[in-house]
Amino acid sequence: MIPAEFDYVAPASLDEAIQALSQGDADAKLLAGGHSLIPLMKLRLAAPSLLVDLRRVGGLTGVKRNGELSVGAMTTHAEVAGSGLGLLSDAAGTIADPQVRHRGTIGGSLAHGDPASDLPAVALVTEATLVTRGPNGEREIAASDFFRDYLETALEHDEVITEIRFAEGLDGWGHGYEKFNRRREDWAMVAVCALARVQDGTFADVRVGLTNMGSTPLRARAVEEALRGQSVSAESIARAAEQAAEGTSPPADLNASADYKRHLARVLCRRALERAAGV
Ligand SMILES: Cc1cc2nc3c(=O)[nH]c(=O)nc-3n(C[C@H](O)[C@H](O)[C@H](O)COP(=O)(O)OP(=O)(O)OC[C@H]3O[C@@H](n4cnc5c(N)ncnc54)[C@H](O)[C@@H]3O)c2cc1C
């Protein structure tokens, strides 16, 4: 349980952090809350040669509302949970326990790219944009292009996520977050997040995201298409939710078989949509 040796720097500015990353070898890693990276290092599943700690870098924390919603990458899960950001806050509030929520960050969670984490699927359904800075300047990456495979993202090794933007904000949509785990502080066996825009009793738009149902977070497109333009009712939701696991290949693990996860996805999808639509 002791990590391999590594070098450590704690730069005071973003430019210095990017410089340190670029000058380190490909194994140099950013350190944010350390609640995914340090356990991997202790298990020797990761052995970075250099850790570049973002803790002293200013300007990476906090929630800004200025026409659009922007959340700094180093904002902790606890702050996100307490900021009244609808679906995003609800999901962040289910992460682990208070200790983890006060150290772990939204940027670290997305960069880690674990499909069992709560925030990646939320980034997908909110159609968030990840803003990064690297030696070649700033990039904006749509969440739909960000998650490539298990623990693999579109991030270059010398790029830092600086903020996450939610272009439409999260207003005007009903939301529901349903997470199934054995103990409250555990990762999701499966989780489903739903957003619904209801006009005159009809689903004007619907978005559904799935956690831990494949090697990346997923959108349940079949459910979304089945509900758009349909009248809002428990029956229409239940019918559409039957398609929640379509096209998924959830990994079996110690907690659940793939079939059980598909069952959970259907049940949680129905519940999340009912909540989002106020049924
Ligand atoms: C006991 C326990 C239970 C947990 N339960 C849950 C849970 O239920 N749900 C859940 O979603 N998560 C859970 N987590 C994970 C937790 O949310 C982590 O905090 C989070 O996944 C990673 O955030 P971090 O800030 O700690 O990142 P770190 O561990 O510091 O970094 C993770 C990865 O992201 C990279 N990185 C960090 N910040 C940036 C950045 N700004 N730009 C680019 N790359 C960056 C790092 O280099 C590293 O590769 C749990 C963790 C623990 C220890």
Side-chain angles (χ1 to χ4, degrees):
M1 299 305 270
I2 297 175
E5 261 186 35
F6 57 90
D7 291 328
Y8 172 88
V9 291
S13 73
L14 188 55
D15 286 342
E16 283 168 26
I18 293 166
Q19 200 181 11
L21 266 188
S22 327
Q23 285 170 356
D25 60 28
D27 289 334
K29 280 266 177 207
L30 289 170
L31 179 69
H35 272 55
S36 289
L37 184 54
I38 302 283
L40 287 180
M41 289 170 64
K42 285 186 166 179
L43 292 167
R44 301 237 174 172
L45 294 171
S49 50
L50 168 70
L51 286 188
V52 179
D53 194 339
L54 287 174
R55 200 173 352 165
R56 293 176 58 220
V57 174
L60 296 181
T61 55
V63 173
K64 287 185 217 135
R65 283 179 180 274
N66 190 10
E68 65 180 4
L69 174 70
S70 156
V71 181
M74 286 290 283
T75 310
T76 62
H77 304 318
E79 187 175 347
V80 172
S83 293
L85 304 177
L87 179 61
L88 187 57
S89 296
D90 281 5
T94 71
I95 294 174
D97 49 37
Q99 288 93 326
V100 174
R101 289 199 291 276
H102 278 86
R103 297 294 303 195
T105 65
I106 183 170
S109 175
L110 299 180
H112 189 52
D114 184 344
S117 290
D118 294 278
L119 301 184
V122 174
L124 269 192
V125 292
T126 52
E127 300 189 347
T129 300
L130 289 87
V131 183
T132 68
R133 277 269 299 278
N136 300 321
E138 195 167 280
R139 273 208 301 160
E140 291 187 3
I141 309 172
S144 54
D145 295 327
F146 188 74
F147 303 103
R148 297 244 167 108
D149 207 341
Y150 185 69
L151 303 186
E152 195 185 315
T153 70
L155 210 54
E156 298 292 338
H157 90 276
D158 50 5
E159 274 183 311
V160 182
I161 302 172
T162 54
E163 62 178 308
I164 298 94
R165 288 188 192 143
F166 301 89
E168 298 178 5
L170 297 171
D171 301 330
W173 294 75
H175 64 272
Y177 192 69
E178 293 288 331
K179 174 173 177 175
F180 191 86
N181 46 15
R182 289 203 306 184
R183 298 174 310 166
R184 202 189 174 283
E185 67 268 30
D186 284 344
W187 265 271
M189 241 181 254
V190 173
V192 177
C193 46
L195 288 172
R197 221 151 39 81
V198 174
Q199 275 165 3
D200 302 327
T202 299
F203 282 108
D205 208 350
V206 180
R207 298 182 194 163
V208 177
L210 305 173
T211 291
N212 214 10
M213 287 294 289
S215 59
T216 63
L218 297 169
R219 288 273 290 264
R221 299 278 184 190
V223 178
E224 297 177 358
E225 277 156 32
L227 277 178
R228 264 181 219 121
Q230 297 294 309
S231 56
V232 174
S233 69
E235 292 72 30
S236 65
I237 290 173
R239 248 192 331 271
E242 282 303 303
Q243 300 177 59
E246 217 167 80
T248 64
S249 45
D253 55 36
L254 283 177
N255 287 313
S257 65
D259 268 352
Y260 184 54
K261 286 189 179 176
R262 289 190 193 98
H263 167 73
L264 283 177
R266 292 188 282 267
V267 173
L268 299 176
C269 180
R270 176 174 54 72
R271 291 180 189 164
L273 281 165
E274 284 174 355
R275 194 179 288 264
V279 170

